[in-house]
Amino acid sequence: MSILIQNGTVVTASGTLDANVLIEGEKIEALLTGDDTVPDVDRIIDAAGQYVLPGGIDVHTHMEMPFGGTFSADTFETGTRAAAWGGTTTIIDFAVQAKGTSLLATLDKWHAKADGNCAIDYGFHMIVSDVNDTTLKEMDACIAAGVNSFKMFMAYPGVFYATDGEILLAMQQASRSGATVMMHAENGIAIDQLVAQALAAGRTDPVYHGLTRPPELEGEATSRAITLAKVAGCPLYIVHLSAREALAAVAEARDAGQNVFAETCPQYLWLSIDDLARPDFEGAKFVASPPLRPKDHQDSLWRGLRTNDLSVVSTDHCPFCFKDQKELGRGDFSKIPNGMPGVEHRMDLLHQGVAAGHISLPRWVEVASTTPARMFGLYPRKGVIAAGSDADIVIYDPRATRTLSAATHHMNVDYSAYEGMQITGRVVTTLSRGSVVIDDGEYLGRTGHGTFLARGLNQYLL
Ligand SMILES: [Zn+2]
C-alpha cells in the first residue's frame, strides 16, 4: 500500500515545509517538494490547509494500573484507541513492580496485558519499588529487553516509596549501563504528616489533597533527586513537574551541565487548585499527584517549555471514574485514587498553547513528539517525518473548533477534566505505521495493530 499526503504543511521540530509525504507500506519513503515527480500511488490524502505532524509520543501513561485496590479505567485497548483519536501514535506505559516480585516477571505481566490489545505502538518503563541485589541485577536484563528507563518514587511511603539510599543504589546501577532514572519527586514522608494532621482536624475535602502537598515539598524532593543523580552520575528525568520551585532546581542543574530533564503535563498548564476546590466532591476529578497548583505556576511552566528546562509534555494519563472509583474518597481525600484522564487531549491542549502564543508551532512538535523520541531511544524511527521513519503521521486541522466533553471523548472514563472547554484544532487523520487509524471522525484501526517497541538508550544527553 502506498499513500501520498498532498498539499499539507509539514511541521517539524525545526520549522515548517510545504511538502508531499510519500508512504510505502509502514515507512515514510520520501518527502517530495516542488519539481519532484509525483509517483503513482494507491491512495492520495489531500491535506490542503492542514498540518502534517509526526505522530504524538506520550511517554507517561498508566493503562489498567493497580492503585489502592482498584485499576485505572482504561485498558491498553481503550486507552490506545483514545490516544489515536487525539493524534498520539506511541505511548510508553509503566510496568509496576510489586514489592517482593522480580522486574522480569513484572515485565512479562505487562507484556501480557498489552500484547495483541493496542491500536498504536507502545513501550514500557519499569517502576522499581523493591531495591535489592536481585532487582539491581535485573535492571540490565530489562535494558536488554528494550526497557531502559526506571522510575522511582520519593512519594507514597509504604507503597512505591524508596529511601535515598535505595535511590542512590539504583542510580549507580543505571549509571553503569547508561539507563535513565525517572523520578516522582515529592517528599512523601513530610506529606504523610501533613495529611494526617489535616484528617485529624476534620479537613477531608478534595482540596486538602493539594494543600497537604505544598510546592515546596516538590521543590525539595527535586533538588534531592538531582543531588543523588549527580553523586551517582546517572541521567535523571523528573516526571510530571508541576511547581515553579521544582523547575528552578531543574534549571539550575541544567545550567551547570548536569543531565537532568523534566516533563510537565497539560493539566498543570491549564488547570489549577481552584478546580480541586470545586464544591460537592467535584474536586475529586482533579486529584492527581503532584497536585494541581495555584494558577500563577502556569506562566513559569510555559516559560520552562520555551527555555527547554521542560523538554517534554506527557499526560500521566491515569483515569479513574468519578462513580465508584473517585467516590472511594468521599469523607477522606487521602482515599481518592490519584490520577486524571488525558491521553486523548495532549496534542489539542498543546495546540491551544500555540494559539495563545505560549509556544511556537515547531516547539509543539518538539515537546510532543521529537524530544520524547530522543529522550527514550526511539529516534529516528519515531518522532520525525523523514525518509525511513515509521509512517506515524497526524493530519491536523488548525482552524476547526470544538468543545471537549465526556459525552464525545473516547477514553473509558465517565468525566472530562476539561468539560466544556472550547478549543481550536482537531485531528483529522491519524496513521500508525502507514495504516489509517482515525479518519474524519471514524475509527478505522485494529486492536492488536500496535507493536512493542524495544527502545535504545537516551539520545538527548547533554
Ligand atoms: Zn504517573
Side-chain angles (χ1 to χ4, degrees):
M1 178 86 174
S2 55
I3 300 176
L4 188 70
I5 302 173
Q6 270 189 333
N7 305 320
T9 301
V10 175
V11 185
T12 72
S14 50
T16 59
L17 174 72
D18 289 324
N20 300 330
V21 181
L22 178 62
I23 298 166
E24 224 20 281
E26 298 196 343
K27 301 280 184 190
I28 295 167
E29 177 77 12
L31 267 70
L32 309 174
T33 53
D35 304 332
D36 293 337
T37 42
V38 177
D40 269 342
V41 291
D42 300 318
R43 179 173 175 190
I44 288 180
I45 297 176
D46 183 21
Q50 296 172 349
Y51 298 146
V52 180
L53 317 169
I57 300 175
D58 189 343
V59 301
H60 192 152
T61 67
H62 301 280
M63 306 303 174
E64 51 193 288
M65 190 196 81
F67 189 98
T70 186
F71 287 85
S72 60
D74 265 313
T75 61
F76 279 89
E77 182 176 354
T78 63
T80 55
R81 201 187 299 149
W85 276 102
T88 286
T89 52
T90 299
I91 61 163
I92 308 182
D93 205 273
F94 289 86
V96 186
Q97 180 197 25
K99 288 227 192 273
T101 66
S102 89
L103 294 185
L104 290 174
T106 301
L107 189 54
D108 285 347
K109 203 165 153 184
W110 255 261
H111 273 301
K113 287 176 193 244
D115 186 29
N117 290 323
C118 294
I120 55 167
D121 289 349
Y122 60 95
F124 292 123
H125 310 288
M126 179 60 69
I127 288 178
V128 180
S129 60
D130 197 350
V131 175
N132 55 52
D133 287 347
T134 313
T135 302
L136 291 170
K137 285 201 191 82
E138 280 186 314
M139 285 171 66
D140 281 343
C142 287
I143 293 167
V147 174
N148 47 45
S149 35
F150 299 90
K151 184 183 179 188
M152 303 189 79
F153 289 79
M154 300 168 113
Y156 303 128
V159 190
F160 298 129
Y161 174 83
T163 65
D164 290 354
E166 290 165 340
I167 290 168
L168 185 76
L169 288 175
M171 284 178 163
Q172 288 173 330
Q173 183 68 32
S175 142
R176 285 192 277 274
S177 52
T180 297
V181 169
M182 309 169 78
M183 190 61 70
H184 180 136
E186 284 187 293
N187 184 329
I189 299 287
I191 285 168
D192 270 9
Q193 298 303 325
L194 296 177
V195 169
Q197 287 168 359
L199 292 174
R203 300 185 185 112
T204 60
D205 287 343
V207 71
Y208 291 102
H209 170 78
L211 296 174
T212 55
R213 310 179 82 94
E216 289 80 2
L217 294 182
E218 185 185 343
E220 182 278 326
T222 303
S223 297
R224 186 154 38 95
I226 288 168
T227 302
L228 292 168
K230 188 175 183 187
V231 170
C234 94
L236 174 68
Y237 180 93
I238 303 292
V239 293
H240 47 45
L241 188 149
S242 73
R244 81 166 76 78
E245 289 81 352
L247 180 60
V250 168
E252 189 186 336
R254 289 174 57 78
D255 287 349
Q258 194 179 339
N259 274 307
V260 173
F261 312 96
E263 65 177 19
T264 191
C265 312
Q267 54 270 33
Y268 302 118
L269 296 166
W270 291 111
L271 303 171
S272 76
I273 196 163
D274 299 348
D275 295 294
L276 258 182
R278 290 195 201 182
D280 301 328
F281 198 64
E282 283 281 298
K285 295 176 177 175
F286 304 91
V287 167
S289 294
L292 301 180
R293 300 300 184 186
K295 240 184 165 41
D296 58 351
H297 287 252
Q298 292 171 356
D299 279 346
S300 304
L301 298 181
W302 284 115
R303 184 167 358 98
L305 279 173
R306 290 191 296 274
T307 61
N308 204 36
D309 289 319
L310 294 170
S311 307
V312 170
V313 176
S314 70
T315 60
D316 195 12
H317 176 75
C318 192
F320 294 100
C321 286
F322 187 67
K323 195 176 157 29
D324 295 340
Q325 292 193 303
K326 290 289 188 180
E327 282 179 337
L328 294 170
R330 263 194 208 277
D332 180 350
F333 69 85
S334 73
K335 296 203 163 60
I336 300 169
N338 280 211
M340 289 173 58
V343 74
E344 187 170 349
H345 298 317
R346 185 181 62 119
M347 299 298 279
D348 284 328
L349 289 168
L350 281 173
H351 184 250
Q352 305 320 297
V354 176
H358 294 306
I359 53 171
S360 69
L361 192 55
R363 185 65 180 155
W364 174 37
V365 168
E366 190 167 34
V367 299
S369 179
T370 310
T371 300
R374 289 189 162 122
M375 191 76 72
F376 294 104
L378 290 169
Y379 192 86
R381 178 173 175 190
K382 307 288 191 189
V384 62
I385 296 183
S389 295
D390 280 358
D392 289 4
I393 295 177
V394 171
I395 300 173
Y396 196 84
D397 179 354
R399 275 171 289 273
T401 56
R402 64 206 176 90
T403 304
L404 299 182
S405 171
T408 48
H409 75 200
H410 302 86
M411 298 175 285
N412 186 37
V413 59
D414 62 0
Y415 75 94
S416 172
Y418 305 95
E419 188 67 42
M421 183 174 175
Q422 308 273 337
I423 63 160
T424 305
R426 181 178 81 102
V427 171
V428 179
T429 306
T430 303
L431 292 108
S432 165
R433 282 183 286 109
S435 293
V436 177
V437 180
I438 301 294
D439 197 22
D440 206 13
E442 241 191 301
Y443 176 74
L444 302 173
R446 183 172 61 79
T447 298
H449 163 82
T451 59
F452 172 71
L453 300 166
R455 298 179 291 109
L457 293 172
N458 192 325
Q459 302 161 291
Y460 201 70
L461 300 181
L462 297 174

